[in-house]
């Protein structure tokens, strides 16, 4: 039985030219609840943070890595999954977690959208051009209607916005009224 209070969120940050990582997967230009879901390359990036002494970026939250490859498990909170994504999200995660954060990468986020699993997208754009890299979503194959719910600008130059996915899943003032958008230069409401 699905948890109707559950929300699935794709959360990514990208450069102004639309890349979430350099071609080799590095995200050094990016300064960096619930559970997290990610692909194997995002997990390997997190492992590189640990190896550099920067720590595990996901705290003690349950973290699910979507991969059929053998990868090192460095924390008890990490679990691996290979199989049907819709069944995993709807059958295993939604009944247990209030918020499910998809945090990367492009193929995983694209599949989440293609399957209609995402309720919203939180997208942050940093004021940098990196020239080439891994796209936010890989080959969606169709249009996906999004409804702008919120926009925030920060002094750092980063702009963050929230969109709702699909038809009538609107939540919040901005989602009900597309002319109402929250924004300010310092990121405050």
């Amino acid at each position: 039985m699905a948890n109707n209070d559950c929300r699935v969120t794709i959360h990514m940050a990208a450069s102004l030219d639309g890349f979430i990582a350099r071609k080799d997967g590095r995200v050094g230009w990016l300064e960096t609840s619930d559970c997290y879901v990610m692909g194997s390359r995002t997990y390997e990036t997190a492992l590189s943070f640990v190896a550099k002494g920067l720590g595990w970026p996901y705290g003690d939250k349950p973290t699910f890595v979507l991969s059929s490859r053998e990868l090192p498990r460095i924390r008890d909170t990490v679990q691996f999954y290979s199989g049907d994504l819709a069944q995993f999200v709807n059958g295993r995660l939604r009944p247990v977690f209030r918020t499910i954060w998809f945090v990367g990468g492009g193929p995983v986020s694209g599949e989440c959208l293609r399957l209609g699993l995402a309720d919203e997208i939180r997208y942050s754009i940093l004021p940098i051009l990196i020239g080439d890299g891994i796209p936010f979503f890989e080959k969606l194959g169709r249009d996906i209607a999004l409804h702008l719910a919120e926009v925030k600008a920060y002094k750092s130059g980063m702009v963050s916005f929230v969109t709702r996915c699909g038809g009538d899943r609107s939540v919040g003032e901005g989602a009900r009224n597309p002319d109402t958008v929250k924004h300010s230069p310092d990121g405050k409401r």
Side-chain angles (χ1 to χ4, degrees), residues 139-158:
K139 300 176 182 83
L140 294 175
R142 64 181 172 91
D143 291 353
I144 295 177
L146 301 175
H147 308 282
L148 185 63
E150 183 177 319
V151 174
K152 289 183 182 180
Y154 297 87
K155 288 180 182 177
S156 68
M158 181 177 79

Side-chain angles (χ1 to χ4, degrees), residues 125-144:
I125 301 173
L126 283 69
I128 184 172
L129 300 172
I130 64 172
D132 201 3
I134 300 167
F136 188 6
F137 296 109
E138 286 195 2
K139 300 176 182 83
L140 294 175
R142 64 181 172 91
D143 291 353
I144 295 177

Side-chain angles (χ1 to χ4, degrees), residues 26-88:
R26 289 183 298 122
V27 291
W29 54 272
L30 175 65
E31 294 185 26
T32 312
S33 283
D34 332 275
C35 75
Y36 295 103
V37 179
M38 66 187 67
S40 60
R41 288 185 292 180
T42 301
Y43 178 65
E44 288 171 324
T45 299
L47 292 177
S48 75
F49 293 158
V50 173
K52 294 175 186 172
L54 300 173
W56 177 247
Y58 304 102
D60 291 329
K61 299 291 181 185
T63 303
F64 300 93
V65 180
L66 306 175
S67 181
S68 57
R69 295 188 292 136
E70 287 289 323
L71 296 166
R73 183 173 180 241
I74 64 163
R75 299 179 65 87
D76 291 339
T77 56
V78 173
Q79 296 180 40
F80 298 95
Y81 178 80
S82 176
D84 183 271
L85 184 59
Q87 182 179 7
F88 179 62

